[in-house]
Amino acid sequence: MSDIPFLELESDAAAIAAFRDRETARTEAAFCDAEFDADVALAKSILEREDYLQGLRRRGTWTYNFKRSGDNPKGLWRRIPQDVAATNHAPWETVFDLDAFCAQTGEDWHWRGAETAFFDGDALLLALSWQGSDQTRYLEWDPGNQQPVPGGFDIGPQRCSASWVNKDTLLVSTSLGEGAATRSGWPGRVVRLRRGGALADAPAVFEVSHEDLVAFAYAMPAPDGTVAEVTGRIRVIGETEKTLYREGIGSAGITIETPKNTQAAVSTTHYAFVAGAAIDDIPIGALVLHEIDSGARRVLFRPEPYVSVSPDSVLLRDRWLLWTIYNRTEPTIWVLNLTAPNATPEVLTLPCEAQSVFVYPHDAAPRGEGPLQLSTTGFLEPTKTWLFDLEAGLDAVTYTKLTEEPPAFDATGMEVQLLSAISADGTEVPYHLVLPAKRGEGPLPVLQYGYGGFGVSMAPTYNAITGKLWLERGGAYVLGYIRGGGEFGTEWHLAAKRRDRARAFEDFAAIAEDLVKRGITEPKAIACHGGSNGGLLCSVMLTRYPDHFGAVWPSVAVTDMARFHLFPAGAGWIDEYGDPDDAADLEAMLAYSPLHNVDAHGQRAYPKSLVTTNDSDDRVDPSHSRRFAAALLAAGQPAYFHARSGGHGGGGATHEAALERALGYAFLRHTIAAHR
């Protein structure tokens, strides 16, 4: 074990505390000046805006909203009658005060939402994350009395999920108990939990292999008034199998058959999927609709270069199927009427132009069709949320604006361009460039962001804090659509999996090179930032392409490619990265593993880096970041390390989130923006 770099920063509590405290203090001394304090206040004010409501969902006869403010930095869950207009000055009734609950319990809980029963809008399970981790507690809550239901359900905290079946029964995916957790630590067993019963005694209804990623289950109402149950396994990230059990057909389930690497949207009559592998005459990336009873299968979309359908955009209802086609990131929403034989897909006319669109049910627990929500947004366009309905047909669709995000920064004179770089193997890699209105002397500071993994699609969205603390002050922003992501279809993702991972890194480096070739900026003025898999991406930029950047900011990064599978959740990434226990896979990963490729400063000088992590992160263990920062410092490289409380997604209170964001922009101000 002595050959494992800085192993003491993985498990030695005293060594961890000493390193964390020393390096965090050094980082704060370097960047947390008066300007930083002002930025914290600015970011906090944006997060606590009184004039912006988001996340409005209908539950029963009420409209719910989760709101953080100066008085409630962790948040209030509140509601108004559904026939009352949702404004900040509406007569909101508090349902759950998260700040007060944390004070009462003496624990740091983070909001993760709520499960609402489809049969009763007042049957609620709060989902609370312990310290921001993946350990979740489900607590049955009385919205009228604002307290736990006496004798009600109380599950966790553990890695789990819960779904209502009826007022006295839940389907719970659990990771507690002998053999219940998968190799990745996620739930591997689904049990039927009755009110008043113990989780440990609940009978199992579905189990998956130890090598699978996770088991899940949920119930949904059928149009005939019966209840259907769906159970399923995710073998690896992005590959899902589901089985539908319909009331009245006994124990014989209907297996939802889809190709590898496929996610299926399911109703009681149909399922739809974007093919993750070729099947018969269906190509990878095609959108397929399957009728369960007849077995009839219909291909609704076939991919073209840079034209694709994201699986996450497929929304299946009892009567309608909706999906979004992206043509070089430009979205178009399509709709198919499932009740009309041989219906032709039609385009949904939008209420406004938008760089990004998202459609989802207005009801938190859909009970049939019901209204839908449409969100429209863009780099310079604040998010708007619209309510619409398909009940009267596509030609009769009208939109009612629910919410509109107030502008947080002055976008006057700013410009968005869609450009392309050419990667090392000749592949065209599109990216968006957001240019500021203020372009002073010296090279233009550019913040380049990317992810490039697990088929996750990046999209243009309105980032209020980035706009205020970066764009408005003369910095440019770049979003790269590199391989490994899903922006241009399934093949775009598969092109950078496992031993082909280097393509994602080459794509991202090519974007930085293209910015220089076009005369937009210089390498010393480019910084890259990313989190999780994006943190791996940026860490590789530091060790493999240090001459391309003037600063590197990896957050909650994966950096040890030889041992990532030994940490919580890490085994679930083997399909994406490769298996460290396979010699050929390990050799490929060690070629880029950031922790194993740090050069001494005398051999190769790196730009300054800010390595950040969160203490309660059980998705990507904080030791990845600690050990990488330690390796950089031992090599004499100009690195900074900072750890904050919270889980993989950061802190739960507004001041914690504001501090985290402001520190990153302070780092950029002292590095790439200092050249101006």
Side-chain angles (χ1 to χ4, degrees):
M1 299 292 285
S2 60
D3 60 340
I4 300 175
F6 301 97
L7 183 60
E8 71 278 5
L9 295 181
E10 177 184 324
S11 56
D12 186 324
I16 290 171
F19 180 83
R20 179 197 191 280
D21 295 347
R22 180 183 70 248
E23 295 304 323
T24 293
R26 185 174 71 89
T27 297
E28 292 180 352
F31 303 118
C32 298
D33 50 18
E35 203 167 350
F36 163 81
D37 292 337
D39 283 353
V40 171
L42 267 176
K44 190 171 183 289
S45 68
I46 290 173
L47 295 171
E48 296 173 351
R49 285 173 293 179
E50 292 294 327
D51 53 353
Y52 180 41
L53 301 175
Q54 56 183 328
L56 296 177
R57 302 296 296 276
R58 186 170 70 182
R59 302 171 193 267
T61 60
W62 300 84
T63 299
Y64 280 74
N65 162 254
F66 187 76
K67 183 73 172 176
R68 296 190 294 177
S69 66
D71 292 332
N72 287 92
K74 285 184 173 293
L76 279 179
W77 199 38
R78 54 191 194 166
R79 68 182 185 181
I80 52 174
Q82 64 175 345
D83 57 355
V84 175
T87 68
N88 190 60
H89 301 292
W92 292 97
E93 170 190 322
T94 297
V95 173
F96 178 66
D97 185 330
L98 181 55
D99 297 85
F101 187 77
C102 290
Q104 176 186 349
T105 59
E107 295 281 2
D108 178 22
W109 298 103
H110 295 213
W111 179 252
R112 289 293 182 267
E115 288 292 323
T116 305
F118 57 85
F119 51 82
D120 181 357
D122 283 339
L124 303 172
L125 290 172
L126 305 183
L128 305 174
S129 159
W130 182 68
Q131 297 185 351
S133 70
D134 289 328
Q135 309 299 311
T136 303
R137 178 183 182 185
Y138 284 90
L139 177 63
E140 189 175 3
W141 194 258
D142 184 333
N145 294 325
Q146 302 176 39
Q147 62 183 12
V149 172
F153 294 108
D154 191 353
I155 305 165
Q158 59 163 300
R159 286 183 171 177
C160 62
S161 63
S163 174
W164 290 96
V165 177
N166 55 53
K167 66 183 182 66
D168 293 317
T169 310
L170 301 177
L171 287 174
V172 179
S173 301
T174 179
S175 58
L176 289 184
E178 184 177 355
T182 65
R183 181 183 179 187
S184 303
W186 293 102
R189 179 178 297 154
V190 175
V191 301
R192 189 180 303 277
L193 179 62
R194 307 287 186 183
R195 184 176 300 280
L199 186 63
D201 299 329
V205 296
F206 182 69
E207 293 189 75
V208 301
S209 163
H210 184 66
E211 299 302 314
D212 289 331
L213 181 67
V214 67
F216 62 87
Y218 56 89
M220 59 183 177
D224 62 3
T226 61
V227 177
E229 294 181 7
V230 177
T231 60
R233 76 182 73 221
I234 299 178
R235 291 194 178 277
V236 297
I237 294 175
E239 180 182 339
T240 306
E241 292 182 356
K242 294 184 177 181
T243 302
L244 176 69
Y245 293 88
R246 291 191 296 191
E247 188 173 343
I249 62 174
S251 60
I254 302 171
T255 300
I256 307 301
E257 296 180 356
T258 59
K260 184 179 180 181
N261 290 329
T262 296
Q263 302 175 57
V266 180
S267 74
T268 56
T269 57
H270 293 79
Y271 63 91
F273 60 88
V274 177
I279 177 172
D280 299 329
D281 63 338
I282 301 172
I284 294 176
L287 175 63
V288 181
L289 177 67
H290 188 109
E291 186 176 353
I292 292 175
D293 287 336
S294 70
R297 178 173 281 176
R298 180 179 178 186
V299 178
L300 298 173
F301 167 82
R302 294 179 183 271
E304 302 174 20
Y306 302 98
V307 183
S308 65
V309 172
S310 168
D312 293 333
S313 76
V314 178
L315 178 61
L316 182 60
R317 312 301 302 279
D318 291 334
R319 294 178 52 204
W320 302 92
L321 176 69
L322 297 90
W323 67 95
T324 304
I325 294 178
Y326 298 88
N327 187 339
R328 288 184 175 270
T329 76
E330 183 176 340
T332 304
I333 299 175
W334 290 78
V335 182
L336 179 69
N337 185 348
L338 299 177
T339 65
N342 301 316
T344 300
E346 299 179 72
V347 173
L348 178 66
T349 302
L350 302 181
C352 64
E353 293 186 0
Q355 291 178 314
S356 296
V357 295
F358 308 96
V359 179
Y360 42 90
H362 180 52
D363 287 303
R367 293 166 292 177
E369 289 304 317
L372 300 173
Q373 286 189 25
L374 167 72
S375 286
T376 61
T377 187
F379 290 116
L380 306 179
E381 294 297 325
T383 301
K384 301 180 182 68
T385 304
W386 311 79
L387 193 65
F388 72 101
D389 205 319
L390 293 171
E391 286 298 314
L394 198 59
D395 293 338
V397 168
T398 59
Y399 293 93
T400 301
K401 189 184 296 182
L402 281 179
T403 63
E404 181 172 1
E405 184 176 7
F409 59 93
D410 184 2
T412 305
M414 294 184 185
E415 182 183 354
V416 179
Q417 299 179 1
L418 181 61
L419 305 173
S420 290
I422 303 300
S423 194
D425 63 358
T427 299
E428 180 187 353
V429 183
Y431 67 93
H432 267 118
L433 168 66
V434 185
L435 290 167
K438 301 175 183 178
R439 304 177 200 176
E441 299 297 324
L444 179 66
V446 177
L447 174 58
Q448 182 176 329
Y449 188 89
Y451 188 79
F454 299 96
V456 173
S457 296
M458 298 287 100
T461 56
Y462 190 77
N463 190 315
I465 293 178
T466 297
K468 190 66 179 177
L469 301 188
W470 187 246
L471 291 172
E472 196 176 86
R473 294 173 179 175
Y477 182 80
V478 164
L479 181 59
Y481 307 114
I482 63 178
R483 283 174 288 182
E487 293 87 356
F488 304 118
T490 305
E491 289 190 287
W492 195 253
H493 167 219
L494 298 179
K497 279 186 68 174
R498 299 181 76 100
R499 297 177 195 174
D500 293 323
R501 198 78 195 166
R503 289 174 177 165
F505 310 139
E506 292 166 355
D507 290 358
F508 200 66
I511 293 173
E513 293 171 355
D514 194 68
L515 292 168
V516 176
K517 289 177 183 177
R518 293 178 185 272
I520 294 169
T521 189
E522 299 176 9
K524 65 181 180 181
I526 304 175
C528 63
H529 176 46
S532 194
N533 178 75
L536 166 63
L537 171 71
C538 291
S539 299
V540 173
M541 292 302 106
L542 183 64
T543 57
R544 182 172 283 194
Y545 301 97
D547 297 335
H548 287 53
F549 301 94
V552 175
W553 173 17
S555 298
V556 292
V558 182
T559 66
D560 183 354
M561 302 310 295
R563 300 179 71 253
F564 71 84
H565 62 317
L566 303 179
F567 297 103
W573 314 333
I574 289 174
D575 180 72
E576 182 76 12
Y577 295 139
D579 188 349
D581 293 330
D582 178 281
D585 280 358
L586 179 61
E587 181 181 6
M589 290 186 288
L590 285 178
Y592 66 81
S593 178
L595 181 63
H596 300 88
N597 286 277
V598 174
D599 293 329
H601 185 268
Q603 296 175 314
R604 193 178 193 188
Y606 292 171
K608 289 183 178 179
S609 59
L610 174 64
V611 181
T612 63
T613 189
N614 301 313
D615 290 333
S616 300
D617 188 351
D618 58 350
R619 190 88 55 84
V620 178
D621 194 273
S623 64
H624 279 276
S625 294
R626 288 192 295 260
R627 296 165 64 214
F628 183 50
L632 291 168
L633 293 168
Q637 300 291 358
Y640 294 88
F641 170 85
H642 196 273
R644 196 174 298 284
S645 62
H648 194 60
T654 53
H655 63 276
E656 294 169 344
L659 285 165
E660 182 179 348
R661 298 292 298 278
L663 176 64
Y665 288 107
F667 169 68
L668 299 182
R669 187 171 61 249
H670 283 264
T671 52
I672 62 170
H675 297 294
R676 309 202 75 177

